[in-house]
Amino acid sequence: MSSIQLASDSESPVLQAKNLKRVFKSPLGKQSLVRAVDGVSLELRKGETVGLLGETGCGKSTLAELMAGLQDPSEGEVVFQGFPLNKKSSKSQWRELRQRVQIMFQNPFDSVDPRYRVMDILTEPLEVNGVRAPERRDRAIAALETMKLTPPAEFIDRYPHEMSGGQLQRVCIARALMLNPSVLIADEPVSMLDISVRAGILILLDELKNTRNMGILHISHDISTLVAVSDRLLVMYLGKIVESGSTEVLVSSPAHPYLRVLLNSVPTVHDTLFTKGERELTLKGDIPDPSNIPDGCSLWPRCPLAVEKCKIETPKLKPLDQMKTHRVACHMAHTDDH
Amino acid sequence: MSILSVDSISVEYQTLSDAVRAVQGVSLNLKEAQILGLAGESGCGKSTLAKAILRLLPETGIVVSGKINFKGKDLLRLSTSEFRELRWQILAYIPQNALNSLDPVYRVGDQVVEAILAHERVSRNAALDRARQLFSNVHLDERSLRAYPHQLSGGMRQRVLIAMAMALDPPIVIIDEPTTALDVVTQAQVLSELISMRNRTSSGMLYISHDLGAIRQLCNDVAVMYAGLIIETGNVGDIYGEPLHPYTMGLLNSVPKSRGAKRLVSIPGAPPNLRSEIQGCAFHPRCPFRDTRCVKETPKLYEISQTRSVACHYHHKAKNFRILAEDPNIWQMPEPREAVMSDFKEDIVP
């Protein structure tokens, strides 16, 4: 492989979402539709961690499942290594995606079969993909070592209930890595764990990014964690990305009122992570019913900066800088001197 | 002046074969207009302590020793009916899960009125007036009085509970993780309601949380719990700025300070099994600074100053420890340890 190809390899995204939409029929009324994911485009490159920040019900977990091929989009497509995946794609293409793009969840106890031993949990993906038994065991032991669950002999025959949440979450990461994926989608990987064990999981994910050159999509509602671990950040509100850019830029000059409020309002332990801005800037009320999203900008009823235009016209995600890396979907951000 | 003093209280959960020593001889003082944060991870006994004060322990939970004094009375010696008189009036409680704490078939306004009428001889209209005032204090619309709990959002329900707790202007309010189930923005709103409530009353509040950020924003003082014990107390500035106990240092360093995961500290191992007697310092198996004394001898809660105490033999070395504790590698010790307690958020009641 030539060096030019290598360079373009690291530049081109390994996993992309192109205008992904997922609409659910609301059980409450035939008329109402829930637009869980409403036209999201994103790019994930190898060796980078992208943080997806959003609150409950914003559609971030649905987006995760769409990206992993666990749900079919209503519109748009997932592009893996340049190949779009849709209804026309062959079985082997989907198989490739499901092997190379792995996902892990918030609650490890819900993500494994309680009657499986660690050995079974780790070797199942290998078995499905036709790896022979002796090799399976060796690879499971190696995976436990990578996850710092040592000595592996002590863990390999345990049942999930015989482990702590932090240990089982490591097993879940190990399972996700058994097929050497190029992308790991981590949906709230530490939010159920106690503070003192969170760091261990975050460090592990960071090492995997560097040593295996993996792309990690880290989904969370926890701003501090995402700011600490992400190279880039995406901010999601009611199914849409409202701001994206490098983490440094987003925390130092957030442009969307939603992100500005989030950064101001989160109670932090250390003041050194990011500086807080205008305390008085807050949002009114609560997140609206996702089956009844307001017209125009979906934030306007809560937004302190909203004007008439916001109620009528939906703002597009447009670049703010010349490099086109910092993008924001807000009329006000594009009119004033932000 | 101290309004509530907990004097070396111990709580055990009885199981068929043995007992879990969830709280082991904890003492604390709550003063007028003080907000005392009780910080700690799951299973450290913070919620058990709160429930023991409120007499809300499950049947298996038994207070084996200690006293809880309010104005010279030992609350533990009161009969059930005497204690019921004190609830709301003296001792109010803001629980974690607002939806489970409100009656789904009563309008929330009626529930507030009912609490007032149960304790005070006032007319229904006067009680309703007060409910209206309480609701406006927490920025709830007057119309919310007529709402059923399911018609309100999580943040609004939590505000109803804050309003209810303050209905009789109680001198003591116990608040248990009020923001865990809420969104970031709503969390901030509820916290600011609590802050304005702090500024309005002279009630003493005990705020129980694993959220170190929320405690820092709301409380005056903090008590850090570990394995059923208070291991460090002090005012918020001291605890967050100059922690004395290695556990507190580890906890604070495990929260992101700067960008990059590499600098994060992960405390190895897990809290000890509370079913058996703990030898030496409860934190010693996970402590990078332990020596033989820590293994053998249980440290007492040393009083450092009028406002500060710490349960560490080597508290006088804390300045050095703090510098070392910044380095994540210090915490990585060779031998792996058995996990005996789940590190999950929910407190596990056996």
Side-chain angles (χ1 to χ4, degrees), chain B residues 249-268:
Chain B
M249 298 174 197
L251 212 52
L252 291 170
N253 288 335
S254 64
V255 183
K257 258 185 202 168
S258 57
R259 298 220 30 238
K262 285 191 190 76
R263 300 281 310 279
L264 288 174
V265 160
S266 162
I267 305 177

Side-chain angles (χ1 to χ4, degrees), chain B residues 20-63:
Chain B
V20 176
R21 290 163 236 240
V23 175
Q24 304 175 14
V26 163
S27 300
L28 56 86
N29 276 308
L30 186 65
K31 295 185 206 73
E32 218 169 74
Q34 179 191 31
I35 304 196
L36 176 61
L38 203 54
E41 300 183 280
S42 358
C44 74
K46 58 190 191 299
S47 289
T48 298
L49 178 61
K51 285 176 182 156
I53 297 170
L54 289 156
R55 284 211 197 172
L56 292 175
L57 286 169
E59 266 178 41
T60 50
I62 292 158
V63 180

Side-chain angles (χ1 to χ4, degrees), chain B residues 198-306:
Chain B
R198 172 187 77 186
N199 301 338
R200 243 191 339 261
T201 72
S202 59
S203 308
M205 298 183 212
L206 191 61
Y207 184 86
I208 296 149
S209 182
H210 69 278
D211 184 344
L212 299 171
I215 288 183
R216 179 175 176 227
Q217 201 174 330
L218 179 69
C219 302
N220 322 112
D221 301 281
V222 196
V224 184
M225 281 190 80
Y226 182 78
L229 301 158
I230 287 180
I231 53 118
E232 180 163 9
T233 63
N235 67 44
V236 165
D238 286 345
I239 296 273
Y240 286 76
E242 296 180 339
L244 294 173
H245 199 286
Y247 174 66
T248 318
M249 298 174 197
L251 212 52
L252 291 170
N253 288 335
S254 64
V255 183
K257 258 185 202 168
S258 57
R259 298 220 30 238
K262 285 191 190 76
R263 300 281 310 279
L264 288 174
V265 160
S266 162
I267 305 177
N273 188 344
L274 299 177
R275 284 165 200 272
S276 47
E277 188 106 17
I278 294 169
Q279 275 281 326
C281 170
F283 189 60
H284 87 256
R286 306 172 75 189
C287 182
F289 312 120
R290 59 151 189 257
D291 71 355
T292 44
R293 186 176 174 201
C294 308
V295 178
K296 284 183 198 143
E297 191 186 327
T298 308
K300 62 168 190 166
L301 201 58
Y302 296 94
E303 247 180 58
I304 308 300
S305 71
Q306 272 201 323

Side-chain angles (χ1 to χ4, degrees), chain A residues 56 165 194 228 230 270-271 286, chain B residues 42 153 183 216 252 259-260 343:
Chain A
T56 322
D194 255 339
S230 312
H270 305 290
D271 291 326
D286 292 289
Chain B
S42 358
S153 71
D183 274 328
R216 179 175 176 227
L252 291 170
R259 298 220 30 238
D343 42 17

Side-chain angles (χ1 to χ4, degrees), chain A residues 278-305:
Chain A
E278 323 98 297
R279 261 282 145 122
E280 63 282 1
L281 196 74
T282 59
L283 296 179
K284 286 169 273 186
D286 292 289
I287 295 182
D289 181 352
S291 68
N292 191 15
I293 295 175
D295 290 333
C297 171
S298 46
L299 189 69
W300 78 258
R302 306 178 66 198
C303 182
L305 309 177

Side-chain angles (χ1 to χ4, degrees), chain A residues 217-231:
Chain A
L217 182 65
H218 188 136
I219 298 169
S220 181
H221 70 283
D222 180 352
I223 301 168
S224 303
T225 299
L226 284 187
V227 167
V229 304
S230 312
D231 302 304

Side-chain angles (χ1 to χ4, degrees), chain A residues 43 45 232 244-246 249-250 317-328 334:
Chain A
E43 291 178 348
R45 287 175 188 78
R232 287 194 294 130
S244 68
S246 78
V249 171
L250 255 62
L317 192 65
K318 286 190 294 197
L320 271 179
D321 54 343
Q322 290 195 327
M323 298 284 287
K324 297 192 174 180
T325 49
H326 186 189
R327 290 162 184 267
V328 62
H334 288 287

